[in-house]
Amino acid sequence: MSNQIVVNVIGAGLAGCECAYILAKNGIKVKLYEMKPKYKSEAHKSDNFAELVCSNSLKSDSITNACGLLKKEMEILDSLFVRIAKNTRVPAGQALAVDRDKFSEQITSAIKKHPNIEVIYERIDDVGAFDGIIVIATGPLTDSHLFTNIQKLVGEDSMYFYDAAAPIIEADSINMDIAYAMDRYGNAGEGDYLNLPMTKDEYMRFYNELLSAKEAPRHEFDKIVLFEGCMPIEHMAKRGEKTLVFGPLKPVGLNNSKTGEKNYAVVQLRAENEEKTMYNLVGFQTSLTFGEQARVFRMIPGLENAVFARYGVMHKNSYINGGNILDCNFRMRKNDNIYFAGQISGVEGYVESAASGMIVAYSIMNRLKKKNIVFPDTTMLGSLAKYVSTPNKNFQPMNANFGILKPLDIKIKDKKEKYQKLADIALRDISKFAEELRGEKNE
């Protein structure tokens, strides 16, 4: 069966390499298409595969850190990405950082020497030219020719070329003594939004710190032309003291029933998922450094102890609205021969990109065995897959965080204890899942 099947993987980045390797080591032939070295995006410098463009850090190794848990789950499923990362690690405290040149070299070597992988150095402009199974893993800076082709494939309304995302907060870190539920002009205690009221003094302290906060440096290729729909909140604030009060922090129609007082400004939080375990800061697209986001946004009443599931970002990024297009195996609902993997699918980050390639590989393997698999939503892998495939009209790329995991049945106040419990469940369930994938489950 597997000898007669060839899977076409477009893009030899982190997702494409992880996907190709897992398929190949399980006996499935792969044609891996890579446009480098003949063509390169503005970001790429090396001719090797799996190039780490922005940083050499793969975040924490601790399982009580979401990205650390994700790497551990991937390791249990025999990840090439994690193995090579550990082979090439450099001192970085509790974080897993790598020698990025050695990392890319070793990934490239493992791919090139595998007998089941044929590397084809060619730029692909049209996915319609392929028969059989295709994995589109072309990254956040997908070449413009292919970008246009994908746009036609998925529909222009479901394809984005930049990422202007607001921070996302874990719900149980919001001070509910201050926050109140209410839609604008709605009934108190009802609605889809949580509201955080501010007095004039509170607003002015926040406003002044926002004006002086430090912005993150961006690569030349990451500079985008700003327009009103994605204006960073710190840029908006520079237009004048009351700009935010008449904009995203407008208090009209949001009277605070808890205090009976008139609000000077109101920050609105919108639920990011059906379970309401995460909330988005409405209108808070930002290019501030992560540290400054934590410092300044925790000045908002009710967010004093906010835990950031994802910080706001502002950068070029080609991605699809997966919830409209993909199932939980990263496969197109309208064309089951086409899969997406990596940041173009709607995940965010190095580890998450490789993880999506892993999910796609195991999904294809089991499809060829005529099995239907779904990664458990108690695991970080399964939760990423669920997030990407769940309809959301405000879809933004997501990284690994504990807010996307299936919530615990019991409430645990201590954050470290809670994360440890979630991690224990995730590792238990991914271990069982690994046995099922390998056919080792005891009946």
Side-chain angles (χ1 to χ4, degrees):
M1 173 269 301
S2 60
N3 291 333
Q4 298 168 358
I5 297 291
V6 176
V7 175
N8 301 288
V9 178
I10 307 173
L14 298 171
C17 287
E18 183 80 352
C19 181
Y21 189 82
I22 289 173
L23 288 170
K25 76 183 184 65
N26 284 280
I28 298 168
K29 298 287 186 183
V30 176
K31 287 186 177 181
L32 178 61
Y33 293 84
E34 172 55 46
M35 70 178 189
K36 295 195 305 181
K38 188 174 180 181
Y39 302 98
K40 289 180 180 176
S41 75
E42 307 99 305
H44 294 120
K45 307 299 179 190
S46 168
D47 291 345
N48 285 322
F49 304 158
E51 183 178 355
L52 302 180
V53 173
C54 295
S55 167
N56 70 331
S57 175
L58 306 179
K59 300 183 181 177
S60 174
D61 243 356
S62 169
I63 63 168
T64 55
N65 173 281
C67 206
L69 175 59
L70 178 59
K71 290 194 290 287
K72 187 63 179 177
E73 290 179 13
M74 293 170 68
E75 186 176 29
I76 289 170
L77 291 173
D78 200 16
S79 166
L80 173 70
F81 170 87
V82 174
R83 174 160 56 84
I84 298 298
K86 291 192 171 185
N87 286 348
T88 58
R89 73 184 305 158
V90 294
Q94 290 189 342
L96 175 58
V98 301
D99 179 316
R100 75 175 89 195
D101 290 334
K102 290 181 179 176
F103 173 83
S104 294
E105 287 168 4
Q106 289 190 26
I107 291 272
T108 304
S109 175
I111 294 294
K112 281 185 171 182
K113 73 182 184 183
H114 201 289
N116 286 333
I117 301 176
E118 178 187 358
V119 177
I120 301 168
Y121 293 99
E122 182 181 331
R123 190 183 75 188
I124 302 301
D125 296 339
D126 183 4
V127 295
F130 293 95
D131 292 323
I133 297 173
I134 311 161
V135 180
I136 301 172
T138 49
L141 294 174
T142 294
D143 180 77
S144 59
H145 300 82
L146 184 57
F147 177 88
T148 302
N149 182 249
I150 295 170
Q151 204 166 26
K152 292 176 182 175
L153 179 70
V154 302
E156 291 191 8
D157 292 345
S158 291
M159 189 83 187
Y160 306 96
F161 191 55
Y162 60 85
D163 187 2
I168 293 175
I169 306 297
E170 291 189 16
D172 59 9
S173 69
I174 299 167
N175 185 347
M176 294 306 295
D177 291 334
I178 293 174
Y180 60 96
M182 186 180 179
D183 294 344
R184 201 175 297 276
Y185 301 110
N187 296 320
E190 300 176 3
D192 298 325
Y193 290 82
L194 291 181
N195 301 279
L196 305 174
M198 302 177 85
T199 65
K200 185 173 182 179
D201 286 345
E202 289 168 337
Y203 172 79
M204 290 307 302
R205 285 195 294 272
F206 164 76
Y207 173 77
N208 288 323
E209 290 301 317
L210 184 61
L211 287 181
S212 61
K214 183 180 177 182
E215 292 188 47
R218 292 209 293 270
H219 294 284
E220 197 62 36
F221 66 83
D222 232 4
K223 293 179 180 175
I224 60 177
V225 178
L226 302 176
F227 61 93
E228 292 301 316
C230 70
M231 185 66 62
I233 192 166
E234 62 273 11
H235 287 216
M236 202 182 303
K238 290 174 183 176
R239 294 177 172 179
E241 179 185 304
K242 292 190 175 181
T243 302
L244 300 182
V245 177
F246 287 98
L249 274 68
K250 182 169 65 176
V252 178
L254 294 170
N255 293 333
N256 187 351
S257 60
K258 286 188 174 182
T259 64
E261 297 176 0
K262 189 175 181 180
N263 304 317
Y264 185 79
V266 176
V267 174
Q268 286 203 297
L269 307 178
R270 181 182 58 239
E272 186 66 23
N273 58 357
E274 188 178 353
E275 295 82 5
K276 294 188 175 181
T277 57
M278 300 182 292
Y279 280 83
N280 184 296
L281 272 72
V282 178
F284 273 65
Q285 296 93 336
T286 180
S287 56
L288 297 182
T289 65
F290 290 175
E292 288 288 76
Q293 288 183 50
R295 181 182 71 82
V296 177
F297 297 158
R298 284 181 183 141
M299 295 180 69
I300 298 168
L303 297 185
E304 302 88 355
N305 299 307
V307 175
F308 289 79
R310 186 197 68 194
Y311 288 100
V313 290
M314 203 90 191
H315 57 73
K316 281 186 179 179
N317 191 357
S318 303
Y319 66 96
I320 61 173
N321 185 337
N324 292 343
I325 298 160
L326 305 177
D327 66 14
C328 60
N329 289 318
F330 288 77
R331 176 175 55 188
M332 281 192 73
R333 294 191 183 111
K334 292 183 178 178
N335 187 332
D336 63 7
N337 276 335
I338 299 177
Y339 293 76
F340 283 83
Q343 291 196 157
I344 195 168
S345 71
V347 298
E348 176 83 22
Y350 288 153
V351 183
E352 293 85 346
S353 293
S356 68
M358 167 177 276
I359 294 169
V360 168
Y362 279 115
S363 298
I364 291 172
M365 281 168 47
N366 282 274
R367 169 188 173 178
L368 296 177
K369 296 175 184 175
K370 304 195 182 306
K371 293 181 179 179
N372 183 34
I373 68 160
V374 176
F375 280 72
D377 62 3
T378 52
T379 67
M380 203 59 73
L381 283 162
S383 295
L384 279 172
K386 182 179 178 181
Y387 176 86
V388 165
S389 59
T390 300
N392 182 347
K393 65 181 180 180
N394 299 298
F395 185 86
Q396 292 285 354
M398 181 58 70
N399 58 350
N401 66 84
F402 283 102
I404 64 174
L405 282 177
K406 183 178 180 180
L408 296 170
D409 294 333
I410 55 171
K411 189 168 182 66
I412 299 177
K413 279 193 172 182
D414 182 79
K415 185 172 74 172
K416 189 170 183 180
E417 183 184 349
K418 173 188 168 185
Y419 289 173
Q420 183 66 56
K421 179 69 173 174
L422 286 166
D424 289 343
I425 293 170
L427 294 179
R428 177 200 69 195
D429 290 353
I430 203 67
S431 295
K432 288 180 181 177
F433 186 68
E435 290 178 2
E436 292 173 5
L437 286 176
R438 296 172 188 139
E440 298 168 1
K441 186 179 179 183
N442 294 323
E443 298 298 334

